Amino acid sequence: MSTRTILDPTGERTVAERARLARPASLDGLTVGLLDISKPRGDVFLDRLEERLTEVGASVKRYRKPTFAKPAPVDLRHEIATECQVVIEALAD
Amino acid sequence: MHDISDLELRGVPGVFVASDEFVTAADSQSKSLGYSAMARVFTPHPVQDRTDDEMTAYADAAFDEIVSQITAG
Amino acid sequence: MSAPTLPDGLVVVVKRDCETCQTVVPVLRQLAGAAAVTIYTQDDPDFPGEPSAIHDADLAVSWHHDIETVPTVIKVADGAEVERTVGWHRDEWERLTGVAELGPDLPAMRPGCGSKSVDPDLVDELRARHGGSVLRSRRIDVADAEDEIELMFNRGWTDGLPVIPPTEARVLAMLEGTSRAPDEIVATVPPDLVDVTVEKVAIAAVMAGCKPEYLPWVLTSVEAVCNDEFNMHGLLATTMPVGPVIVCSGPGTRKIGMNSGINALGQGNRANSTIGRALQLVVRNVGGGRPGEVDRATHGSTAKLSFCFAEDDESSPYGTLAGARGVEPGVDALTVFAGEAPHCIVDQLSRTPESLANTLAHQLQAMHHHKLILAFDAILVMGPEHARVFADAGWDRDRILFELHMRLTTPVDQLARGAGGIEEGIPTSSAGAFLAPDTSAGPTALPKFRPDGLMLAYAGGGAGLFSALIAGWVNGEMGSRPVTRAVRY
């Protein structure tokens, strides 16, 4: 048993794991954020995603984090959260 | 993966894309973040030495799966 | 894992680190020769050596059989304890064991030592190790890279402030605060109508920061709000800034250190703050009642984090709210009321009861809106300096309320919609509906409150010519009625 175990405070009507956020039905008309983690070649990958996303009716905003080695700065995350309805982060290798 | 975890807590559904070298790392990282179900899609490896055409092909190959991870149904 | 059973015959629990246990070793040898004896040793497996003992290494036997002193001798028959004795007492040991002339070289008696299983340094760990099986809640492992405080926030289990992670050890310790069984169902919690057990309430109490001795008050408040009379569901779903207010009284409030004096309705007192908070966490996490979902309050209020205080029943010149609602003096009780954050009424000059009553009535009339009547109840928490004005004049609770009600009657034409250039108000065409059906002619004046709708409580610091008005949510069938319950320990 983990030494850090807590008891579920809920009525246990749903699963205990963290669930995915609800997704929109389609991307048509939405703003999709593309977050480049700044590893080589990721930008080319994201360029193609941008073309394909635009074709399906989404508008795309591009972002880039300063280094792949750390989480994105809070200002950048806030910016993405206020400007986009969904986000794709790429490309780690 | 911390970024996707954080952005989802801010209300933005997200997906993380990595090369398939990252599969087991992604499993353990997402689990250690307490979010095993985090959406993720994998491209072939390697990435860093691929030409532009090859990277574009990777994107085309992954596109449908990426979209399915950020839309419902 | 269930409790280990004791073998039939005589069971003796000892430890080497106890002079009395060492003293009685010859007696143990006598007993072993005369009866079926099983010895459990808590520390050194080689003690007493002869006769040989079972090493209760994890103290499971000692813990499950409530060994508080060593040596303890238990007579067991058919797997059940018949009786026991603790320490060394020759007459007792001879009587219980049925063996004569025990320890002839020993003194007649010698007190025992503390059992290792009640060592304060070990108690919590032992409880977690051996008591964990009584807990039925789903366990959640905190992942390596997760902070358990953040986890609670991320899962949506907090009220916006950090909560104490409910570990098994903490919840077991909390459950010591009640004699009720952990799996006993306390109430059915709206809006999702989920049955909540004592264990789940204890989890909420841990998260809120309660001490175990607060748990009975939390349990009682959960019972008090989860019924059709109080209508917790309606209280949640309303757009008004209301929540459950808990008014406590009785000697138990002092035992647990509740605040009935300076800043009684405010922050800073652990019992006040955490009991109210625990109730709201049950509603949120078990019942599923959350802001933005079922909770649609327009503005809400910080009183929805927690609103619980004690009346100063020792000094009150007019008894307690619980007393007025039928609870015997000296009985620990609480009243739950669907109400807002308190509103201050200032009167620093009235020396006569009439003048103060005029002030209070004026401010009470304005509660929510001066033209809205009968639909809302209220609790007026008089501060000591205001209460003294009435007490010095010999006005008891009934007199105070009578005088206030008398001043809270307003001509219908002032209350009517449109009157005074204000569109809000009562519909004059159905003004008669506000009174009892047998009123044939339309009333010319109407009271602010229904007959029992204005309640009095007594709390607050000794300096300050103020009273605090707790305005209520909608009353009656469509709304909420206050509920009073004696605390069940």
Side-chain angles (χ1 to χ4, degrees):
Chain A
M1 199 198 308
S2 160
T3 51
R4 297 196 309 148
T5 302
I6 57 173
L7 297 178
D8 187 328
T10 71
E12 298 187 25
R13 291 270 176 100
T14 56
V15 292
E17 297 93 32
R18 184 174 152 191
R20 282 193 193 176
L21 211 50
R23 268 85 170 112
S26 96
L27 297 180
D28 183 25
L30 298 189
T31 302
V32 180
L34 295 181
L35 174 57
D36 190 339
I37 67 163
S38 304
K39 288 200 97 175
R41 317 309 289 145
D43 53 343
V44 180
F45 183 87
L46 288 172
D47 287 344
R48 182 56 177 161
L49 287 188
E50 181 172 358
E51 280 174 15
R52 297 288 305 268
L53 287 165
T54 309
E55 277 165 25
V56 299
S59 39
V60 170
K61 283 186 124 76
R62 298 288 292 264
Y63 305 89
R64 192 181 166 85
K65 66 179 190 178
T67 165
F68 60 80
K70 294 187 201 169
V74 65
D75 291 346
L76 177 57
R77 287 182 263 131
H78 177 70
E79 202 185 334
I80 295 171
T82 52
E83 294 175 354
C84 308
Q85 282 87 54
V86 289
V87 64
I88 300 167
E89 185 177 23
L91 173 55
D93 78 319
Chain B
M1 301 198 88
H2 291 78
D3 299 329
I4 296 296
S5 170
D6 178 83
L7 286 163
E8 288 230 344
L9 290 171
R10 290 170 188 265
V12 186
V15 60
F16 178 76
V17 187
S19 81
D20 58 27
E21 280 292 291
F22 224 86
V23 170
T24 44
D27 281 350
S28 74
Q29 254 194 56
S30 62
K31 194 166 159 206
S32 77
L33 287 171
Y35 188 15
S36 313
M38 193 187 304
R40 45 208 189 264
V41 172
F42 300 97
T43 70
H45 192 82
V47 164
Q48 297 206 23
D49 65 351
R50 299 291 101 179
T51 65
D52 285 3
D53 285 347
E54 283 165 333
M55 287 311 301
T56 298
Y58 279 6
D60 282 334
F63 182 72
D64 287 346
E65 202 191 333
I66 289 172
V67 170
S68 77
Q69 293 291 317
I70 47 174
T71 51
Chain C
M1 199 205 307
S2 53
T5 49
L6 297 173
D8 283 359
L10 296 172
V11 168
V12 186
V13 184
V14 297
K15 66 179 188 184
R16 178 186 286 281
D17 186 21
C18 163
E19 286 193 25
T20 304
C21 294
Q22 294 176 22
T23 305
V24 300
V25 168
V27 178
L28 299 181
R29 294 184 183 140
Q30 281 181 281
L31 288 174
V37 176
T38 310
I39 300 173
Y40 289 94
T41 189
Q42 294 186 334
D43 51 4
D44 185 348
D46 295 326
F47 177 80
E50 172 64 40
S52 64
I54 299 172
H55 186 204
D56 187 22
D58 64 355
L59 296 171
V61 171
S62 301
W63 193 86
H64 281 290
H65 293 282
D66 295 313
I67 306 296
E68 293 182 358
T69 307
V70 285
T72 289
V73 183
I74 304 176
K75 181 153 86 173
V76 183
D78 297 323
E81 174 173 335
V82 175
E83 61 173 317
R84 67 169 62 183
T85 184
V86 305
W88 159 249
H89 190 294
R90 178 183 296 109
D91 290 351
E92 271 301 295
W93 280 51
E94 289 181 346
R95 186 193 57 72
L96 186 150
T97 64
V99 179
E101 293 176 38
L102 290 174
D105 300 329
L106 268 58
M109 58 179 287
R110 197 192 159 120
C113 312
S115 159
K116 214 172 159 200
S117 58
V118 298
D119 180 337
D121 290 339
L122 298 181
V123 157
D124 286 335
E125 185 204 315
L126 289 178
R127 196 189 289 125
R129 190 192 297 159
H130 300 299
S133 56
V134 313
L135 300 174
R136 305 256 178 98
S137 295
R138 186 161 53 193
R139 267 50 167 192
I140 292 162
D141 287 330
V142 182
D144 300 333
E146 258 188 311
D147 177 318
E148 54 267 44
I149 306 283
E150 292 298 322
L151 181 157
M152 314 289 295
F153 275 116
N154 294 344
R155 299 293 181 98
W157 293 339
T158 81
D159 50 13
L161 290 173
V163 289
I164 311 291
T167 60
E168 292 179 340
R170 289 192 181 118
V171 176
L172 286 168
M174 179 62 65
L175 286 167
E176 298 280 317
T178 179
S179 60
R180 297 167 77 167
D183 59 356
E184 186 189 321
I185 293 177
V186 177
T188 305
V189 189
D192 292 352
L193 297 177
V194 179
D195 284 343
V196 67
T197 56
V198 170
E199 177 182 334
K200 285 288 182 184
V201 176
I203 292 173
V206 167
M207 288 166 65
C210 291
K211 290 182 164 187
E213 56 259 42
Y214 306 169
L215 183 61
W217 294 84
V218 180
L219 289 165
T220 305
S221 70
V222 171
E223 289 173 327
V225 307
C226 294
N227 50 66
D228 290 339
E229 211 185 332
F230 185 77
N231 191 8
M232 188 66 227
H233 189 152
L235 179 56
L236 256 177
T238 180
T239 43
M240 288 188 78
V242 288
V245 181
I246 312 172
V247 185
C248 306
S249 58
T253 61
R254 286 178 284 288
K255 283 200 198 107
I256 65 172
M258 287 192 77
N259 183 9
S260 62
I262 294 175
N263 202 38
L265 278 54
Q267 83 291 8
N269 178 278
R270 185 174 179 177
N272 290 25
S273 296
T274 62
I275 292 169
R277 193 184 186 207
L279 171 61
Q280 287 284 44
L281 288 173
V282 170
V283 171
R284 182 191 173 87
N285 290 326
V286 179
R290 297 186 184 79
E293 300 172 23
V294 173
D295 182 339
R296 315 296 302 178
T298 308
H299 295 106
S301 117
T302 48
K304 290 173 68 177
L305 271 170
S306 165
F307 192 171
C308 171
F309 65 96
E311 291 193 83
D312 184 355
D313 49 0
E314 289 182 311
S315 315
S316 172
Y318 46 72
T320 64
L321 176 59
R325 292 171 56 77
V327 175
E328 293 292 312
V331 172
D332 292 338
L334 55 84
T335 299
V336 290
F337 176 71
E340 295 182 352
H343 174 93
C344 180
I345 297 176
V346 178
D347 185 332
Q348 301 181 297
L349 290 181
S350 287
R351 305 287 289 271
T352 65
E354 291 82 8
S355 175
L356 182 55
N358 288 337
T359 287
L360 294 174
H362 233 287
Q363 301 305 104
L364 285 165
Q365 182 68 37
M367 184 182 91
H368 291 322
H369 193 291
H370 63 279
K371 295 168 80 185
L372 291 180
I373 54 157
L374 291 171
F376 308 102
D377 296 346
I379 298 181
L380 180 65
V381 186
M382 255 194 270
E385 293 221 76
H386 275 181
R388 196 179 56 224
V389 173
F390 294 125
D392 286 351
W395 289 17
D396 63 4
R397 178 183 293 261
D398 288 345
R399 177 76 188 274
I400 296 168
L401 288 172
F402 171 79
E403 296 281 344
L404 289 174
H405 281 301
M406 199 172 65
R407 290 162 170 78
L408 284 164
T409 305
T410 310
V412 166
D413 58 7
Q414 289 179 26
L415 300 172
R417 290 176 177 169
I422 296 173
E423 291 172 30
E424 182 60 278
I426 62 167
T428 38
S429 56
S430 56
F434 284 100
L435 293 187
D438 62 1
T439 306
S440 49
T444 54
L446 285 167
K448 175 73 178 181
F449 294 104
R450 64 179 181 89
D452 294 321
L454 177 58
M455 293 164 274
L456 295 182
Y458 183 83
L465 286 143
F466 311 114
S467 287
L469 169 60
I470 303 174
W473 182 48
V474 177
N475 59 21
E477 284 294 317
M478 303 292 294
S480 173
R481 281 164 286 202
V483 171
T484 300
R485 290 261 191 277
V487 175
R488 219 184 108 193
Y489 288 93

